[in-house]
Every structure is written in structure tokens, then in C-alpha cells.
């Protein structure tokens, strides 16, 4: 009997609390637009309180659209977003929760500010978020992103990109430029990457890179698999390493490729036609693939305890 | 809640050095140390004097272990330094008062239920609390502790993740370092020392504002540098050379 009463009390309390939470959740939308008379140098967005989306467009204007959410009106009133253009052409978007007169960008449960910024395509962009989603698309300039626990998506960018994230997946699609991406925990996925170099490091997570034609590629993961599909170009350097994960490479090449593959406690399997140049020994392989004429590409693949496999891409 | 004053700290710090404080008060004293540089300096000097007088030297924990523990304790200690005297008293009496506590909890649950069944949001002004509570809520200079602690907890969680990854890599490095040349080992140790120095400095700054992510950015950068160095060492794979 006592248990039934206790259960009923807990159930009633949770229902009332849920109903009040629903009633008290409030939000506010707003849009701000500026039309700078000077050329924009950089757009800096620092929003630790929610999602950020940055979209490049063909107008010189900068538009900020925000959606603020809070459990109650009083808290909503404490959420602030600033948009500042300084004389050097730097636009700063900054969000905070007010504590008295002090603005602090601290993430708090139940409080969110989601921001969408449209900027001229050639603006350099620097974004910091805490968690949630960080999405950038349509830019033609350099990009720097940092997050702690976010899903990062970068699409259709021509320019150098640098990202860092502690937890969460990162995806890159249709990129022309140098890419340096770092994760501690979470997968990294690349599709259609061109440009001088691609560097990706993750501690625990998988790296998947396909349709890559960058000239220098470095992929590193401590605990995770690496899957690479791409075109190896003359003079290119491709260095793929995992400590405890399989590394699978499929490539196409119009140039000879010097291949070094190694696994300490796993195997090295090759589907390449290297019969005339010696079959790979167990755990180790060193060959030149293709007619040894022209400038070589160098492909180095290794895993401490995983398997290494090499093959050609399907034409 | 008002923080511990320097005068209170002076009184308690000597007791702490004499090992006469309970865990809760020790935490509060440490919390004050993290927010008051002059007391921290004075205490460090006194502590060094006491340490040097002891016959047996204490073993230093490995830096990685200390960093991890330190980061995890920082938020709790700063919070403890803001607690009321009642809280410390409660820590001492709570075990004997278990039965009383259960009764109080039951009464508390009944109160919460009674409160929930009455509207806490006034009908005419959304978000405003009725009666006397409204006065307290309107004073927004009073920082809600829960907000600050939530942020500190989130930061602590991220820093704990970094530390876990670093600890994992250290284990792997230990397996690998026997294969390194003395020169490579020297380079590694030198770079590690430099990164640890940065981490210590940034860790001190971060502990002063455990709930402010901006202040923690540089600390996180230091963690990433350390991860990069360790991963580079682990993945050297020089067997194919």
C-alpha cells in the first residue's frame, strides 16, 4: 500500500512538473542586418549557448538571425546577443547569459541561443561553440571552428579550414583547400576533398575519407579505423596510421606509387598486381606500384595491432 | 552565498596544516586558496616550511594524475568555499541524524508536491514569482548557484575526457619508449615539460573561474597539444624505416 502511494505521489509530481515546464518554456526570435561600408576582414562568432550556422552569400550584408529559448521570461531576458562591427572590418557576434551586470557565455541546461549568420562569401570566419550543431557552407575564404561537444558540418567551402572538437562527429563535403581537422572522441568524415593538404587526427574515432585528391594527406587515429579512397597525384605524400584499428586504402593513380605498409601484430593484405615486384611479407610490404616512370607518389600505411589492406578503386 | 573571508581562512589553514580539519572544511579552505592569490601565496610559504620540517618526504604523484585530480576537485572546492556554516555543521551531524533526515525528506516531498499543485508563475506577469520570492528573483545580481555549477560541471566533464585520453596515451607511450633513441626521448621529454608548464599555468587561471568556458579555452588548447605530442609518439611506427 505504501509503495503504491509513493508511486502515485512521484507520478503526480512528475506530471505537474512536466506540465509547468511546458507552460514556462519561452522563446524569442530576432533578426539584425548590417550593411558594412568597409570590406569585411573577419566574422567572429562566439556562441557557447547553442547552435551556429554560417552561410556564405553574394551580398555584402551580414545578417544575424537568432532564436533564444529559456525556461521562463526572467531567464530569457538575461540572454544577450551582441553584433558589433569594428573599424577594422571585423564583425563580432557574441552571446552570453547575464549575471547582474556581468555577461558570461556559460552553457546552462534549459537555456539556448541558436544563431544563423549569413556573411559575404569571401569573409574569413572564426566560430566557437560549446555543443549542439556547428554548420558552415558556401564560403570562399578561410575558416576556423572550435567546439567542445558539437556535431560539425562543413560543406562547399573553398579555403583553408581548421577545426577542433573534443567530442562529436565532424563532416566535410566538397572542400577545396587545406584542411586540418582534430577530434578527441568522435568520427571524422571527408567526401570530395581537393587542395594542397588534408590532415585529420582523432584519438578515439573512425576516419573515413573518400573522393580525396589532396596532394598531402595525413590521417591519424589511436583507437579507430581508417578508410581512404582517393587519387594519388605525382609527388603526393599519403601517410595513414592507426594504433589499434584497421587501415583500408583504395586508390587510383596515373603515377608510380612507392608503397610502404606495416602492421606489427596484424596483417598486410594487398590486392594490387605487384607480382613482378615481390609479394608482401607478413606484416610488412615495400613496393613500387605502376610503371616506374615519372614522379612518384609515396603512400605509407601502418597499424600497430590492426590489419592493413591495399587495393584499387573501382573505375 | 558569501565566500570564506581571509580571516576565517587564517584560522582554519593552521588547523589544516595540523591535520585537524574534516574533509568538508579542507575543501572549503582549498576553495578559498583558489580564489585568493595573497592567501595562496602565504599558505604556500607556510606549507613549505611545515613540509621541510617533516622527516619523511612525501612522494610526488605523476603530473598527469595530479592534473586530473586537481581539475576534478577545483569546481567542488570553490563551491565548498561558498557554503554556509550550517552546511559544515550538517556534514558533521548528518550520520547520527539519519532517522531525522528521513522524516525531513518525507516532509520535504510533501512540501514540494503541495508547491507544485499551486501555480508558481503568476497569471498576469509571466516568469515572475509571487510574494516574497519575487523580490529575491528580481535581484539578478544574486547568481543562481545551479547555473554556475552546471557550467563548471560541463567544463569538468570535458577536461576529464581530455585527461582520460591523455592517460590512455601515456600507457601506450610507456610501451613504446623502450624503442626510442636517447635523442628522441630527450626531445619528447623537453616538449612534454614545456606543455606541462603551460597546462599548469592555464589550469591555475581556469580554476579561478571554473564556470567560464572562455577562460578554459587556453587550457583545452594545452590538452590538445599534449594529446598531439603523445599520439605522435605512439604512432611513430619506426619499424618500417
Amino acid at each position: 500500500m505504501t509503495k503504491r502511494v509513493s508511486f502515485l505521489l512521484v507520478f503526480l509530481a512528475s506530471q505537474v512538473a512536466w506540465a509547468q515546464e511546458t507552460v514556462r518554456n519561452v522563446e524569442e526570435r530576432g533578426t539584425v542586418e548590417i550593411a558594412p561600408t568597409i570590406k569585411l576582414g573577419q566574422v567572429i562568432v562566439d556562441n557557447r549557448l547553442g547552435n551556429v550556422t554560417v552561410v556564405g552569400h553574394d551580398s555584402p550584408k551580414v545578417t544575424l538571425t537568432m532564436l533564444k529559448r529559456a525556461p521562463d521570461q526572467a531567464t530569457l531576458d538575461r540572454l544577450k546577443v551582441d553584433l558589433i562591427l569594428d573599424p577594422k572590418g571585423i564583425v563580432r557576434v557574441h552571446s552570453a547569459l547575464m549575471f547582474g551586470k556581468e555577461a558570461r557565455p556559460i552553457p546552462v541546461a534549459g537555456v539556448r541561443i541558436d544563431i544563423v549568420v549569413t556573411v559575404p562569401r569571401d569573409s574569413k570566419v572564426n566560430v566557437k561553440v560549446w555543443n549542439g550543431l556547428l554548420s558552415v557552407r558556401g564560403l570562399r575564404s578561410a575558416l576556423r571552428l572550435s567546439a567542445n561537444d558539437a556535431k560539425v558540418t562543413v560543406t562547399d567551402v573553398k579555403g583553408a579550414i581548421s577545426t577542433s572538437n573534443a567530442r562529436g562527429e565532424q563532416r566535410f563535403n566538397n572542400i577545396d583547400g587545406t584542411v586540418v581537422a582534430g577530434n578527441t572522441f568522435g568520427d571524422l568524415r571527408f567526401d570530395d576533398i581537393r587542395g594542397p593538404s588534408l590532415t585529420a587526427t582523432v584519438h578515439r574515432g573512425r576516419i573515413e575519407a573518400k573522393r580525396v585528391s589532396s596532394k598531402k594527406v595525413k590521417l591519424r587515429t589511436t583507437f579507430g579505423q581508417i578508410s581512404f579512397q582517393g587519387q594519388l597525384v605525382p609527388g603526393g605524400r599519403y601517410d595513414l596510421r592507426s594504433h589499434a584499428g584497421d587501415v583500408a586504402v583504395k586508390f587510383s593513380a596515373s603515377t608510380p606509387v612507392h608503397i610502404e605498409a606495416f602492421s606489427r601484430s596484424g596483417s598486410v593484405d594487398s590486392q594490387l598486381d605487384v607480382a613482378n615486384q615481390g609479394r608482401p611479407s607478413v606484416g610488412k610490404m615495400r613496393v613500387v606500384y605502376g610503371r616506374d616512370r615519372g614522379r612518384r607518389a609515396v603512400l605509407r600505411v601502418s597499424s600497430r595491432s590492426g590489419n592493413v589492406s591495399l587495393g584499387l578503386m573501382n573505375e | 552565498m558569501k565566500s570564506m573571508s581571509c580571516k576565517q581562512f587564517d584560522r582554519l589553514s593552521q588547523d589544516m596544516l595540523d591535520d585537524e580539519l574534516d574533509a568538508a572544511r579542507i575543501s572549503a579552505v582549498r576553495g578559498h586558496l583558489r580564489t585568493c592569490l595573497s592567501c595562496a601565496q602565504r599558505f604556500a610559504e607556510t606549507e613549505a616550511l611545515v613540509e621541510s620540517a617533516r622527516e619523511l618526504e612525501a612522494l610526488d604523484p605523476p603530473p598527469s594524475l595530479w592534473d586530473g585530480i586537481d581539475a576534478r576537485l577545483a569546481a567542488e572546492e570553490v563551491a565548498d568555499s561558498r557554503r554556509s556554516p550550517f552546511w559544515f555543521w550538517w556534514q558533521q551531524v548528518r550520520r547520527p541524524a539519519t532517522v531525522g533526515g528521513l522524516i525531513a525528506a518525507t516532509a520535504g516531498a510533501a512540501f514540494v508536491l503541495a508547491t507544485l499543485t499551486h501555480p508558481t508563475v503568476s497569471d498576469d506577469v509571466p516568469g515572475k514569482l509571487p510574494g516574497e520570492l519575487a523580490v529575491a528573483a528580481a535581484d539578478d545580481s544574486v547568481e543562481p548557484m545551479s547555473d554556475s555549477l552546471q557550467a563548471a560541471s560541463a567544463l569538468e566533464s570535458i577536461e576529464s575526457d581530455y585527461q582520460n585520453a591523455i592517460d590512455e596515451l601515456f600507457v601506450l607511450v610507456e610501451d613504446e619508449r623502450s624503442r626510442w633513441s636517447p635523442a628522441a626521448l630527450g626531445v619528447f621529454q623537453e616538449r612534454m615539460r614545456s606543455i606541462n608548464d603551460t597546462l599548469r599555468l592555464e589550469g591555475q587561471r581556469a580554476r579561478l573561474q571554473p564556470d567560464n568556458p572562455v577562460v578554459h579555452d587556453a587550457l583545452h588548447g594545452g590538452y590538445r597539444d599534449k594529446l598531439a605530442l603523445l599520439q605522435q609518439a605512439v604512432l611513430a611506427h619506426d619499424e618500417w624505416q
Side-chain angles (χ1 to χ4, degrees), chain A residues 183-184 201 203 222, chain B residues 61-69 71 159 161-171 173-174 177 180 188-201 217-235:
Chain A
N183 244 11
T184 307
T201 55
H203 175 61
T222 318
Chain B
S64 63
L65 180 68
W66 178 247
D67 290 347
I69 294 168
E159 282 149 24
D161 275 358
Y162 279 126
Q163 196 57 53
N164 288 340
I166 285 167
D167 290 344
E168 284 181 330
L169 283 164
F170 257 120
V171 172
V173 164
E174 285 305 311
R177 59 195 299 164
W180 300 350
F188 173 81
Q189 286 174 332
E190 183 55 39
R191 287 180 62 189
M192 186 55 72
R193 228 185 331 267
S194 165
I195 290 171
N196 281 338
D197 287 347
T198 305
L199 275 175
R200 252 188 295 278
L201 186 68
D217 281 348
L219 178 64
H220 295 176
Y223 279 128
R224 286 195 292 272
D225 288 346
K226 194 165 180 172
L227 280 169
L229 175 61
L230 288 166
Q231 193 189 49
Q232 189 185 353
V234 168
L235 296 178

Side-chain angles (χ1 to χ4, degrees), chain A residues 76-119:
Chain A
L76 191 74
D77 292 342
R78 290 167 56 208
L79 292 175
K80 304 291 177 196
V81 179
D82 293 326
L83 171 66
I84 299 163
L85 170 62
D86 77 11
K88 292 177 182 172
I90 298 175
V91 173
R92 295 174 200 274
V93 177
H94 181 259
S95 70
L97 180 62
M98 301 301 292
F99 289 94
K101 290 178 181 175
E102 189 184 352
R104 290 198 209 160
I106 69 170
V108 174
V111 170
R112 284 198 75 81
I113 301 178
D114 294 335
I115 289 174
V116 178
V117 192
T118 52
V119 301

Side-chain angles (χ1 to χ4, degrees), chain B residues 21-222:
Chain B
L21 281 190
D22 58 73
R25 284 192 172 82
I26 289 173
S27 181
V29 168
R30 287 191 180 279
H32 181 79
L33 281 174
R34 293 177 191 284
T35 54
C36 179
L37 290 175
S38 62
C39 284
Q41 194 174 359
R42 210 166 54 248
F43 182 77
E45 288 165 3
T46 312
E47 193 177 35
L49 202 63
V50 172
E51 281 294 317
S52 65
R54 289 186 177 158
E55 288 184 8
L56 295 173
E57 283 184 7
L59 287 172
D60 282 338
S64 63
L65 180 68
W66 178 247
D67 290 347
I69 294 168
D70 219 19
R72 286 166 205 161
L73 287 176
E76 288 178 23
E77 290 178 352
V78 171
D80 282 344
S81 76
R82 294 172 180 167
R83 292 188 197 280
S84 69
F86 173 78
W87 188 85
F88 295 108
W89 170 81
W90 173 245
Q91 296 305 305
Q92 285 184 327
V93 302
R94 65 177 175 172
R95 284 178 191 274
T98 306
V99 177
L102 280 172
I103 294 167
T106 310
F111 173 75
V112 168
L113 190 64
T115 310
L116 287 172
T117 52
H118 291 85
T120 52
V121 180
S122 67
D123 294 330
D124 51 344
V125 187
K128 293 288 181 190
L129 298 172
E132 291 180 2
L133 287 174
V135 176
D139 180 9
D140 60 0
S141 64
V142 179
E143 176 181 332
M145 181 64 79
S146 62
D147 288 357
S148 181
L149 284 179
Q150 275 178 45
S153 170
L155 282 161
E156 184 190 338
S157 168
I158 287 292
E159 282 149 24
S160 171
D161 275 358
Y162 279 126
Q163 196 57 53
N164 288 340
I166 285 167
D167 290 344
E168 284 181 330
L169 283 164
F170 257 120
V171 172
L172 300 178
V173 164
E174 285 305 311
D175 288 343
E176 295 298 321
R177 59 195 299 164
S178 61
R179 302 166 194 272
W180 300 350
S181 67
L185 183 62
V187 170
F188 173 81
Q189 286 174 332
E190 183 55 39
R191 287 180 62 189
M192 186 55 72
R193 228 185 331 267
S194 165
I195 290 171
N196 281 338
D197 287 347
T198 305
L199 275 175
R200 252 188 295 278
L201 186 68
E202 296 304 338
Q204 284 169 3
R205 284 184 188 159
R207 278 192 287 275
L208 294 176
Q209 292 191 53
D211 60 352
N212 190 341
V214 176
V215 177
H216 287 242
D217 281 348
L219 178 64
H220 295 176

